[in-house]
Amino acid sequence: MAPYVVFEGERRIAAGGKLDVAVAAQARLAEAPEASLLIFDPEGRQVDFDLRGGPWDIALRLGEGDAAPRGRGRPKLGVTAREVTLLPRHWEWLAAQPGGASVALRKLVEAARRDSEGPDRRRAARDAAYRFASVMAGDRPGFEDMSRALFAGDAEGFLARAAEWPTDIADHLRGLAAEAFEP
């Protein structure tokens, strides 16, 4: 998975976890308050962090500092109750399954996730690369050709277009798109 990354213009100034990138952005702004920084998440989305205070304050706001302990119960296991609307014949079938409706639904969801894992991963990588490129290179020559190649699964054309751009942008873009071209 690609890291969080912060760019100043076309130069990557930091990459890593959320907190590392936020602290690096804060340090750069302390050196050059007029600097224009863009931070991207691993999915290629531009994100904003509240950079006020010290690293401890930033960590708490990003959810990476010490937090209050959780209460007892199933949420600690990651279980979330939600409403599902099904037809009566679906409920009847689920009720007849070993372990009941919840177990059957979990098995169905896991099977569907396994079946679609490759296409979903390729689509996510393609979308992340496009989001990042739109912000960082949307006005650069070759952007439309790069986009066509990306969505057509043409790795060679994609790499050729990206190679024409500044090194840091091209490197990060290649990292985001790496899984988009897997078979």
Side-chain angles (χ1 to χ4, degrees):
M1 177 192 283
Y4 281 79
V5 64
V6 60
F7 276 83
E8 180 177 4
E10 56 191 40
R11 186 176 67 104
R12 181 176 43 210
I13 62 169
K18 254 195 298 194
L19 181 58
D20 295 332
V21 166
V23 170
Q26 182 188 51
R28 178 61 185 140
L29 290 172
E31 293 171 5
E34 74 288 347
S36 178
L37 305 180
L38 296 176
I39 302 172
F40 295 90
D41 70 8
E43 289 83 38
R45 290 182 184 91
Q46 188 177 340
V47 294
D48 290 321
F49 294 144
D50 182 349
L51 302 176
R52 294 175 295 143
W56 175 256
D57 298 314
I58 295 171
L60 287 175
R61 281 193 297 275
L62 293 177
E64 297 193 8
D66 292 335
R70 294 182 147 199
R72 288 186 271 157
R74 297 181 97 182
K76 172 171 137 180
L77 300 174
V79 176
T80 304
R82 300 242 172 107
E83 184 177 323
V84 176
T85 306
L86 299 173
L87 295 172
R89 68 177 181 266
H90 299 146
W91 285 116
E92 290 168 12
W93 182 85
L94 284 169
Q97 300 308 303
S102 292
V103 170
L105 284 171
R106 283 194 292 273
K107 286 180 180 179
L108 289 169
V109 168
E110 287 303 320
R113 284 184 66 213
R114 276 191 304 276
D115 292 347
S116 67
E117 189 174 86
D120 288 349
R121 195 174 57 248
R122 286 189 295 277
R123 182 176 35 258
R126 181 191 65 217
D127 293 348
Y130 181 75
R131 279 190 292 269
F132 173 76
S134 294
V135 173
M136 294 301 293
D139 60 347
R140 293 186 181 276
F143 173 78
E144 289 181 16
D145 291 335
M146 178 283 307
S147 298
R148 281 189 210 95
L150 176 64
F151 284 95
D154 174 10
E156 191 175 305
F158 170 81
L159 293 172
R161 295 288 80 74
E164 299 170 0
W165 297 338
T167 304
D168 288 346
I169 293 173
D171 287 348
H172 190 66
L173 183 58
R174 280 191 297 271
L176 288 171
E179 291 182 336
F181 301 108
E182 288 182 353

